[in-house]
Amino acid sequence: MFDHTVSELAALLRDRKASSVELAAVFLERIERLGGGLNAFITVDAEKALASARAADARLARGEATPLTGIPIAHKDLFCAKGWRTTCGSRMLADWISPYDAHVVEQFDRAGAVLVGKTNMDEFAMGSSNESSFFGPARNPWDPSRVPGGSSGGSAAAVAARLVPAATGTDTGGSIRQPASLTGTSGIRPTYGAVSRYGMVAFASSLDQGGAFGKSAEDLALMLNVMAGFDERDSTSVERPKEDYARDLARPLAGLRVGLPKQYFTADLAPDVAACVMAGAEELERQGATLVEVSLPNQALAVPVYYVIAPAEASSNLSRFDGARYGHRAAAYADLGDMYRKSRAEGFGAEVRRRILVGTYVLSHGYYDAYYLQAQKVRRLIARDFAEAFASCDVIAGPAAPTVAFPIGEKTSDPVQMYLEDLYTISVNLAGLPGLSVPCGFGQGGLPVGLQLIGNYFDEARMLNVAHRYQQATDWHRRSPPGYGS
Amino acid sequence: MSGAAGMGWEIVIGLETHAQLSTASKIFSGASTAFGAAPNTQACAVDIALPGVLPVLNRGAVERAIRFGLAVGARIAARSVFARKNYFYPDLPKGYQISQYELPVVSGGFLDIVVEGLEKRVNLTRAHLEEDAGKSLHEDFHGMSGIDLNRAGTPLLEIVTEPEMRSAKEAVAYAKALHSLVRWIGICDGNMQEGSFRCDANVSVRPAGSTTLGTRCEIKNLNSFRFLEKAIEYEARRQVELIGDGGTVRQETRLWDPQKGETRSMRSKEDAHDYRYFPDPDLLPLAIAPEWIESVRATMPELPAAMRARFVADYGLAPVDATTLTASKALATYFEEAVRHAGGEPRACANWVLGELSALLNRLEAEADASPVGPAALAGLVKRVLDGTVSGKAAKEVFEAMAAGEGDADAIIAARGLTQISDAGAIEAIVDQVLAANAKLADDWRAGKEKALNALVGQVMKASQGKANPAQAGEILRKKLG
């Protein structure tokens, strides 16, 4: 049962072949037995989970179920959930219990999903390996000595290891797509503004976007159907009609134009990854799609631009963590300035401190124009590159990460190497576009590789259609890590 | 004219005013803005900056900014941008204040003021929307500080002038005109005690005739017009003396100490924060469509400047009187009501409104719309003065009685027997008595002492217990003496 997709589990529940309480018990038992070694969760609450499973069973009995009613899920630990610890993977919020629900959490509650726990993550979503978590690194179920990617590493590892059928994540520079690629899961980051950021603790507000992990594109569509939609509490949430992201899943791919950016297929891309990605593209071609080369001329500037804009916003977003009202406060301090310095120095880890310093620097008087303003200009060029590419294709395909999962500790001493993990994902965030990653084979060491699909604004249904058709013809997404399958 | 300006120095003043906008809820959250609640009871998740919360702009605050822009003839930006002003302080929960920096909602515009009878135009640089911070309370917490976040997120319009004022009196006249205007157009309650209207003054001095600006100091904590005037005068004198002694003025922020009557240094320019302004990514640029501006324009009242011009042109009032009458909407409305009830007679009404009524209101510390003597009642009295029923002196007594609630003018005149004697025969009889008893005064007048006649009229008034028509008495006296 744990190997089922959300849609399969929903069918079991609907047909009374299983109850939500049974489902919760199955996954809670797996978390208990297998979760510890992966460190995928920061908080698991069996009691709360079983209570909502019972409520879900009652709702199923009343015939008022949605496709997510009774399905166990996990939230990345930066979605505020009322009564739950919401740590953001940081010592700063290690003991903070949220008094309110994020929009996303509220939506899943309304749908009747069963929250079993909060997943591990890079501290404040800053990282590509989950190693910056105050709670220790999450591990990749395909090889526990390797990273699951990040920052949504806990969600990716949990879904890959079948500890939950689906989970939420957030993607600021690749934090859903890269871990999805490294763990053999499916993950989607929707268009900026599609999912409300209300209650999603901010890293870089103009780049952050909530999304989901699942075992299939179809599950991602079901997740998006719950998560996405206008929310007046987020001014950047886009007001548009609710849509059914599953509506086009079965559409044939004949006539589809798939763009392959020439800048993605260079020496920066590991050959094993390149081979899997090209094979994936060829499968689309086999189904009637046309492959066309496209160009993203400013692709090389994406990482540097990102590492100006994201830290700038983060330096300001994280100012509220000052030890005054909530969160970590140093035990002893001489005066107000000392309280700030000690509380923040103790509460934040090295990577968060580094980005706050970088962000503070680029916004400082005399540097603002040269860094921040310049980065914003290039950001517009990057968005224009995509607009021009989409003139000749419907979706863009490429790698989601330059390599397969790397060993824990390999890149922690070299931040720039770590930043390059997001080489193929970051420009999507800068442009505000939607992107997803689906498993497309195995590279070196039998480790999974993801195929990234990038769509035009609000073209998630089409991307999911392409991914779903791909998954109808392949079974990479059904493979489970040794020891975690059935 | 202050001492500093008198010694060959010119004072240059620019004002920054924070007007708290009269919205029911905060600028970026739904929490109430009501004053005086128990600490931290009007601070919601957004105001205390819990992790994950986001700001949502209150359109009521924008509408008020538009009203202001229209009232001062400013440009209202089709697109303006909210920016974050970053600094750490416990009463600033997010670690940044949401304000507007490079692209404010209102730019330009002007306010005309009258100082010692002279008109002057003060140009505005800009007006921008921002949120207020909370309050730090340093007493009563045994060596610790208390933080009250009720005020955090209260909408403010910061109104900045060009450095165009040249005396403390001009600055006060501007501040009063602005204070009147924001209340007039209903965007701010103007309550200075509660901090709804706060001024900071940028003050510098330069040798008279110089065209370059001197180094300025910004003075904070000026929560009354009196403090504003005193602080500017003190600061200008301090700067002139400093320069006179061979020193130089340092650019700094200074605090007005009302107890000591002096400004003192708060922080120097070197200590000033680098606020690291950047556009707030949580808020979209503020777009104001022409239709929105037009719909606000349709709700604008007649503005004080237009009303003042109308009072001069249509009522023949002196500009200075028209200015005073339009200093508050309540007073102007009162005046127009009185004129209507009196069936015209604007000058007589203006004299009463500016004289007895204003004195009464000052004494009661009340606005005209709360006057115990209403405009209709005052008009009733004005009519009795104009038709000669009561003397001007008796009318003042009637007014006081009206203020004390003794009824309308006619009832009081009747009850107190204040009807003026205008019967020529009766006055002649009294004049004869007075002339018989004051032969010396009569001789003095005949000898050319014009003042003696006033003394004789005074005697007639005394003899008639104030009821004789003084003009008539004067005429009869002249006739008899001549």
Side-chain angles (χ1 to χ4, degrees), chain B residues 336-353:
Chain B
E336 292 227 273
E337 279 293 289
V339 172
R340 190 171 65 79
H341 284 288
E345 305 299 347
R347 287 204 218 193
C349 288
N351 286 339
W352 276 92
V353 169

Side-chain angles (χ1 to χ4, degrees), chain B residues 161-179:
Chain B
T161 72
E162 292 290 302
E164 292 183 342
M165 285 156 282
R166 294 290 178 265
S167 69
K169 282 201 164 49
E170 283 185 10
V172 169
Y174 162 80
K176 283 185 173 169
L178 181 64
H179 184 250

Side-chain angles (χ1 to χ4, degrees), chain A residues 43 48 76-88 93-103 105-106 115 118 198-201 326-327, chain B residues 45 48-53:
Chain A
T43 304
K48 280 199 184 90
K76 185 177 183 179
D77 206 18
L78 52 59
F79 285 103
C80 291
K82 190 173 178 178
W84 289 74
R85 205 156 64 118
T86 300
T87 70
C88 297
L93 292 176
D95 301 313
W96 186 66
I97 312 270
S98 175
Y100 77 105
D101 278 335
H103 178 78
V105 170
E106 215 172 66
L115 177 59
K118 308 284 295 289
Y198 181 80
M200 196 180 99
V201 180
Y326 52 76
Chain B
I48 65 176
L50 285 188
V53 296

Side-chain angles (χ1 to χ4, degrees), chain A residues 100 199 235 316-317 320 325-326 365, chain B residues 48-49 51-52 55 84 86 93 274:
Chain A
Y100 77 105
S235 308
S316 176
N317 282 335
R320 68 188 58 196
R325 298 171 311 291
Y326 52 76
H365 186 73
Chain B
I48 65 176
R84 293 184 182 178
N86 295 282
D274 177 355

Side-chain angles (χ1 to χ4, degrees), chain B residues 163-422:
Chain B
E164 292 183 342
M165 285 156 282
R166 294 290 178 265
S167 69
K169 282 201 164 49
E170 283 185 10
V172 169
Y174 162 80
K176 283 185 173 169
L178 181 64
H179 184 250
S180 157
L181 180 68
V182 294
R183 287 182 304 154
W184 191 289
I185 59 176
I187 66 167
C188 170
D189 68 16
N191 190 321
M192 296 177 85
Q193 278 73 46
E194 294 176 3
S196 298
F197 187 88
R198 322 194 280 268
C199 291
D200 300 335
N202 283 296
V203 178
S204 64
V205 298
R206 62 184 175 191
S210 167
T211 52
T212 52
L213 290 169
T215 304
R216 70 175 191 272
C217 291
E218 181 181 7
I219 315 169
K220 290 196 174 284
N221 196 29
L222 304 172
N223 59 4
S224 78
F225 297 124
R226 204 166 60 87
F227 290 162
L228 175 66
E229 183 166 2
K230 286 180 152 236
I232 291 171
E233 280 174 355
Y234 174 89
E235 178 60 18
R237 206 161 46 238
R238 185 189 74 82
Q239 292 183 15
V240 166
E241 283 170 12
L242 187 62
I243 297 167
D245 292 346
T248 47
V249 176
R250 280 199 317 157
Q251 188 175 334
E252 61 186 357
T253 303
R254 299 179 68 85
L255 200 66
W256 168 249
D257 182 337
Q259 264 82 48
K260 292 188 180 152
E262 60 186 38
T263 65
R264 59 183 153 80
S265 182
M266 212 171 117
R267 58 170 181 261
S268 75
K269 191 192 175 193
E270 290 71 40
D271 301 335
H273 298 284
D274 177 355
Y275 290 119
R276 307 190 308 280
Y277 281 100
F278 75 107
D280 191 333
D282 285 333
L283 291 162
L284 300 174
L286 170 58
I288 300 177
E291 298 77 46
W292 191 4
I293 298 175
E294 289 319 307
S295 73
V296 174
R297 197 194 301 277
T299 67
M300 292 292 283
E302 185 184 15
L303 295 172
M307 199 179 260
R308 176 174 171 272
R310 185 163 60 79
F311 285 3
V312 172
D314 294 2
Y315 295 156
L317 300 186
V320 62
D321 290 346
T323 301
T324 314
L325 285 172
T326 52
S328 92
K329 197 179 188 178
L331 194 65
T333 306
Y334 185 105
F335 166 68
E336 292 227 273
E337 279 293 289
V339 172
R340 190 171 65 79
H341 284 288
E345 305 299 347
R347 287 204 218 193
C349 288
N351 286 339
W352 276 92
V353 169
L354 294 172
E356 299 306 306
L357 180 82
S358 292
L360 173 69
L361 295 177
N362 276 342
R363 217 158 59 227
L364 300 174
E365 292 181 6
E367 286 278 350
D369 53 6
S371 169
V373 179
L378 183 72
L381 176 57
V382 169
K383 280 196 277 194
R384 291 297 159 263
V385 175
L386 292 172
D387 68 12
T389 304
V390 283
S391 67
K393 188 167 174 235
K396 289 181 183 172
E397 184 184 336
V398 175
F399 181 83
E400 291 306 324
M402 284 163 66
E406 289 180 25
D408 67 16
D410 288 340
I412 293 166
I413 292 166
R416 296 198 173 192
L418 294 172
T419 309
Q420 186 166 245
I421 302 170
S422 298

Side-chain angles (χ1 to χ4, degrees), chain B residues 15-255:
Chain B
L15 290 188
E16 290 171 18
T17 307
H18 289 90
Q20 179 182 322
L21 299 175
S22 56
T23 54
S25 61
K26 294 185 176 177
I27 185 167
F28 298 117
S29 84
S32 166
T33 54
F35 180 84
N40 298 308
T41 56
Q42 286 180 177
C44 70
V46 172
D47 304 322
I48 65 176
L50 285 188
V53 296
L54 296 168
V56 176
L57 179 60
N58 180 340
R59 285 173 67 87
V62 180
E63 195 220 292
R64 283 163 179 78
I66 296 173
R67 287 178 83 77
F68 180 76
L70 291 173
V72 296
R75 292 185 300 282
I76 294 155
R79 180 179 172 278
S80 63
V81 170
F82 286 99
R84 293 184 182 178
K85 178 179 179 179
N86 295 282
Y87 65 96
F88 284 96
Y89 204 68
D91 61 22
L92 187 73
K94 295 188 292 296
Y96 57 85
Q97 177 195 27
I98 304 177
S99 182
Q100 295 191 303
Y101 186 54
E102 285 181 336
L103 296 171
V105 61
V106 169
S107 38
F110 60 85
L111 209 55
D112 287 333
I113 59 171
V114 178
V115 188
E116 290 167 344
L118 294 175
E119 276 195 50
K120 170 157 183 155
R121 173 160 293 188
V122 177
N123 287 294
L124 305 181
T125 312
R126 60 187 276 163
H128 66 253
L129 286 163
E130 63 182 26
E131 60 177 342
D132 208 345
K135 235 191 265 179
S136 296
L137 307 158
H138 300 298
E139 288 96 36
D140 310 329
F141 293 95
H142 313 286
M144 296 188 285
S145 291
I147 305 294
D148 178 6
L149 296 177
N150 283 352
R151 210 180 61 184
T154 299
L156 301 176
L157 189 67
E158 181 174 337
I159 303 153
V160 183
T161 72
E162 292 290 302
E164 292 183 342
M165 285 156 282
R166 294 290 178 265
S167 69
K169 282 201 164 49
E170 283 185 10
V172 169
Y174 162 80
K176 283 185 173 169
L178 181 64
H179 184 250
S180 157
L181 180 68
V182 294
R183 287 182 304 154
W184 191 289
I185 59 176
I187 66 167
C188 170
D189 68 16
N191 190 321
M192 296 177 85
Q193 278 73 46
E194 294 176 3
S196 298
F197 187 88
R198 322 194 280 268
C199 291
D200 300 335
N202 283 296
V203 178
S204 64
V205 298
R206 62 184 175 191
S210 167
T211 52
T212 52
L213 290 169
T215 304
R216 70 175 191 272
C217 291
E218 181 181 7
I219 315 169
K220 290 196 174 284
N221 196 29
L222 304 172
N223 59 4
S224 78
F225 297 124
R226 204 166 60 87
F227 290 162
L228 175 66
E229 183 166 2
K230 286 180 152 236
I232 291 171
E233 280 174 355
Y234 174 89
E235 178 60 18
R237 206 161 46 238
R238 185 189 74 82
Q239 292 183 15
V240 166
E241 283 170 12
L242 187 62
I243 297 167
D245 292 346
T248 47
V249 176
R250 280 199 317 157
Q251 188 175 334
E252 61 186 357
T253 303
R254 299 179 68 85
L255 200 66

Side-chain angles (χ1 to χ4, degrees), chain A residues 449-471:
Chain A
V449 172
L451 169 71
Q452 181 178 204
L453 297 174
I454 301 166
N456 215 333
Y457 299 103
F458 296 105
D459 216 6
E460 286 86 352
R462 165 117 68 160
M463 294 157 56
L464 289 164
N465 157 231
V466 177
H468 179 72
R469 294 293 306 198
Y470 177 75
Q471 291 183 335

Side-chain angles (χ1 to χ4, degrees), chain A residues 180-184 272-277 399-401 403-404 437-444 447-451 476:
Chain A
S181 178
L182 269 48
T183 58
D272 56 329
V273 174
C276 293
V277 169
T403 62
V404 295
S437 175
V438 288
C440 66
F442 293 88
Q444 256 189 0
L447 293 164
V449 172
L451 169 71
W476 308 115

